[in-house]
Amino acid sequence: MREERTIHGAETAAAAPASDPPRIGLCLSGGGFRASFFHLGTIRYLEEAGIMEKVEAVSTVSGGSIVGAYYLVEMERRLRAQPDLDRLAACDEIIQAFAAEVGRNLSMRALVFRPFFHPVLTFLEMFRLRHRADAMAKAFERRFFSPRLPLGALPVRSQSCRAPRLLINTTSMISGKRVVFSRESDTGLASQIEKSDANGLPLARVVGASAAVPGLFRPLGIGNDLLADGGVVDNQGVDSLFDYFEFSEERMNRLPPASRQHASDKDSGRPVVFIVSDAAGQLSVGNAGRATRWGGAVRSIAILQAEIRRKTLKLLLDAHRDETIAAFAFTHLAMNVKGSACDDGPDHRLPSELIEPAARIRTDLDAFSPLERDVLIFHGYTLMQNRIRSYCSALIGGEAGDTAAGAAEWPPPSVALVDPSRSGPECAERSRKRMEAFLSAGRSLFFRDVRRFPGCFAPLAAVFATVGGMLAYGLANAVAWIPGIELGLIDVGGDTMGVAELVALVACLGFAVYAAMFGYWGVKRLFRLPERMERRMLARLEALRDDGHRPA
């Protein structure tokens, strides 16, 4: 559970002149690739408003660690090659590159079809020498942090480079405490003498540990510790920001002194502002799940995470009330800003009927469809825009609406179909129902495409199920010719069957099912059928919009 902590330092924050530019800390929560895309929307607004380049520290967990590390490394790489680069244009490029890599469906390669994509790893796993978390870390390394980037590749905050310090949160399965990784400063002689070469740790492995959800992945060994998802202790990453700014008591601070704020910044007395982007799951009061042991365990975990979130909010509210922090902006996936003071209309928020299905999209590390990505990015962007204008307007020049408006097409064309003023009432109604059903199917881990487009994928699944059955039948008949297969008799359904033959039959059935799944998935991926069907759906809705707006 979360560590109880007290806050100090209110006198320092309160003594800062109001004219001093604030120091900004950003939190990117856990939640798989769902969180990654939601956070990309948050980051994009912060770039558009000129806030991201002023952020001093970024605390990340799980899915937030994936996108946070990737974004900061890629942005520094682009700025190093072209110092006068337009950050907003670079941000859009990074978002597109990240979406392209996520489209490769990392979890399917690393988990379901591991023997085909990772034969050596599968062999080692049979003897408990490696495990699937290593496969995911290697997938991160190939797709996001290639060539083999160390922790030292993260941006360094100095007088010449104002890049934020990244704090990657994990949980120790040995001590039960939060373990935070960051690029260590190694400029001084003392640090060189005492250096343990933490900057040489593979960045992909550290991020993989931060995203190693217990139950799905085994903890990853780093040094002498076993590390898992940082969301076990704090899924929002707020505690590490309090440690960085040294608001928490020294005995509770999990950051080494080298990873905390600079002494010059601490003595400046400038006010501190927290920005928290929370894409973790929300506790649904009206849906307690089925009354089973497994359902009860899942529900208990959701309750524990909800309690951690409540304590996070209380910590932020107490810090603001005590003037430890000057202000904070908090967004979460289920938030609806309709009717708020800074609500600029349907173009500046996700339609209410799409918020709940978007908030319940799976947190898995698999491929996300273009519509899912658009909805999550747009939702993160508009929520952060509203919260910054409402609670931290000083960050955008004092005027609530003074931002770089018009830098992107908002809402995205797909989301705009739900707006009656843009598409007409008939198109908006049909689009709302179709997209709501599409996003609702996104919560499923398997056979989402069958639910979304049954006319295409149900026959395809039936074809491969038939092929699998024929393959099983053929293999079973082939096994019957093997000499000595009838050893060790056992009564099955009144017939006599050898144990070896029974084992061989089960193996044939298992292989046939696996081959059918692989064929079904391979055909979908080879011909990009989900993307084609999604584009076809959107094209039909756009045609309906055009017909409705066509002059008589």
Side-chain angles (χ1 to χ4, degrees):
M1 285 293 293
R2 184 193 188 92
E3 305 160 341
E4 296 294 340
R5 59 178 62 234
T6 57
I7 306 168
H8 67 86
E11 296 80 3
T12 302
S19 59
D20 285 350
R23 304 170 62 197
I24 304 171
L26 173 63
C27 292
L28 303 178
S29 78
F33 282 152
R34 179 186 70 186
S36 297
F37 285 113
F38 182 78
H39 298 327
L40 282 174
T42 295
I43 292 172
R44 198 197 183 286
Y45 172 73
L46 296 180
E47 289 286 9
E48 182 178 311
I51 299 174
M52 191 66 195
E53 59 185 327
K54 302 173 186 176
V55 172
E56 185 173 329
V58 181
S59 177
T60 63
V61 183
S62 191
S65 297
I66 299 171
V67 72
Y70 178 79
Y71 184 85
L72 293 180
V73 168
E74 288 298 314
M75 180 61 75
E76 185 193 41
R77 182 179 296 172
R78 285 167 168 77
L79 290 175
R80 189 169 57 242
Q82 189 178 349
D84 57 346
L85 179 68
D86 180 0
R87 288 183 62 101
L88 190 57
C91 175
D92 288 335
E93 293 177 0
I94 295 172
I95 291 175
Q96 293 175 3
F98 184 85
E101 295 299 340
V102 169
R104 298 175 186 272
N105 208 338
L106 301 182
S107 73
M108 294 295 285
R109 288 174 175 264
L111 302 179
V112 181
F113 304 122
R114 190 169 59 257
F116 292 92
F117 293 101
H118 306 283
V120 176
L121 183 62
T122 303
F123 178 79
L124 293 175
E125 186 176 353
M126 293 173 60
F127 296 95
R128 297 184 178 274
L129 299 177
R130 299 289 291 276
H131 47 86
R132 64 180 61 179
D134 290 286
M136 190 60 67
K138 286 188 175 295
F140 289 159
E141 184 177 303
R142 287 193 306 272
R143 303 303 179 194
F144 301 128
F145 308 112
S146 178
R148 188 180 177 86
L149 294 178
L151 199 63
L154 291 172
V156 58
R157 188 167 183 81
S158 63
Q159 295 299 326
S160 58
C161 177
R162 304 304 293 173
R165 175 179 288 277
L166 181 64
L167 307 172
I168 302 175
N169 293 272
T170 67
T171 301
S172 170
M173 294 289 102
I174 296 178
S175 66
K177 298 179 179 178
R178 176 169 42 92
V179 178
V180 187
F181 291 87
S182 178
R183 187 190 189 282
E184 296 182 356
S185 175
D186 53 7
T187 56
L189 181 60
S191 63
Q192 290 286 344
I193 294 174
E194 299 176 359
K195 185 175 176 60
S196 59
D197 198 25
N199 287 341
L201 291 173
L203 179 59
R205 190 167 183 84
V206 174
V207 171
S210 180
V213 180
L216 182 59
F217 300 103
R218 288 169 54 186
L220 273 173
I222 298 181
N224 296 321
D225 212 339
L226 290 175
L227 302 175
D229 194 327
V232 175
V233 176
D234 176 18
N235 204 26
Q236 285 68 44
V238 173
D239 283 344
S240 291
L241 272 193
F242 275 88
D243 289 349
Y244 172 83
F245 288 104
E246 298 183 276
F247 292 152
S248 51
E249 295 182 4
E250 182 63 30
R251 64 183 181 85
M252 301 294 295
N253 199 317
R254 301 297 178 195
L255 290 182
S259 298
R260 303 177 191 175
Q261 62 182 347
H262 293 163
S264 59
D265 291 328
K266 180 180 179 181
D267 297 335
S268 67
R270 293 159 54 199
V272 175
V273 174
F274 279 12
I275 299 174
V276 182
S277 179
D278 183 8
Q282 302 287 321
L283 182 66
S284 177
V285 177
N287 183 19
R290 300 179 63 182
T292 62
R293 286 182 295 179
W294 173 251
V298 172
R299 184 68 175 176
S300 298
I301 294 174
I303 293 173
L304 290 173
Q305 289 295 319
E307 184 64 22
I308 291 176
R309 176 185 281 106
R310 282 193 287 269
K311 290 188 176 182
T312 295
L313 280 172
K314 185 178 184 302
L315 186 67
L316 290 172
L317 288 170
D318 289 345
H320 184 236
R321 187 181 300 111
D322 296 340
E323 298 183 351
T324 303
I325 59 176
F328 70 90
F330 183 92
T331 66
H332 63 80
L333 266 172
M335 181 178 290
N336 190 344
V337 296
K338 182 178 181 179
S340 66
C342 294
D343 180 15
D344 292 334
D347 290 354
H348 295 273
R349 52 177 163 78
L350 189 68
S352 300
E353 60 270 16
L354 299 185
I355 292 178
E356 191 272 340
R360 298 186 65 185
I361 291 177
R362 66 203 176 280
T363 60
D364 201 4
L365 299 175
D366 66 355
F368 274 56
S369 75
L371 180 57
E372 290 174 327
R373 299 196 299 258
D374 281 351
V375 166
L376 289 170
I377 293 174
F378 177 68
H379 195 34
Y381 174 97
T382 53
L383 286 183
M384 187 53 64
Q385 180 186 55
N386 184 279
R387 297 296 90 179
I388 292 292
R389 291 178 175 182
S390 299
Y391 298 104
C392 304
S393 59
L395 298 180
I396 51 177
E399 294 293 334
D402 187 16
T403 61
E409 185 178 4
W410 295 114
S414 56
V415 180
L417 292 171
V418 188
D419 184 2
S421 64
R422 288 172 172 261
S423 60
E426 183 181 358
C427 178
E429 180 67 16
R430 190 174 300 182
S431 299
R432 179 192 66 79
K433 292 181 179 179
R434 194 69 187 91
M435 292 184 189
E436 186 176 358
F438 187 95
L439 295 174
S440 296
R443 74 185 67 174
S444 304
L445 295 179
F446 304 103
F447 300 109
R448 292 184 299 273
D449 297 322
V450 175
R451 294 179 56 189
R452 287 169 173 170
F453 308 107
C456 174
F457 292 103
L460 185 66
V463 167
F464 278 98
T466 303
V467 171
M470 295 173 62
L471 179 62
Y473 181 78
L475 290 175
N477 282 307
V479 166
W481 290 92
I482 300 177
I485 202 71
E486 68 279 3
L487 293 179
L489 297 181
I490 169 177
D491 186 31
V492 179
D495 296 327
T496 300
M497 178 181 290
V499 172
E501 185 176 10
L502 179 62
V503 172
L505 181 61
V506 171
C508 291
L509 289 172
F511 180 80
V513 171
Y514 190 93
M517 288 178 56
F518 185 79
Y520 172 77
W521 177 76
V523 168
K524 286 202 313 177
R525 182 171 179 80
L526 177 63
F527 295 101
R528 304 184 69 86
L529 293 180
E531 293 86 347
R532 291 188 178 188
M533 295 302 298
E534 184 177 346
R535 286 197 299 267
R536 185 179 178 184
M537 177 191 75
L538 294 176
R540 287 181 175 179
L541 294 175
E542 289 171 358
L544 180 64
R545 176 198 62 189
D546 295 340
D547 290 341
H549 284 189
R550 185 174 298 157

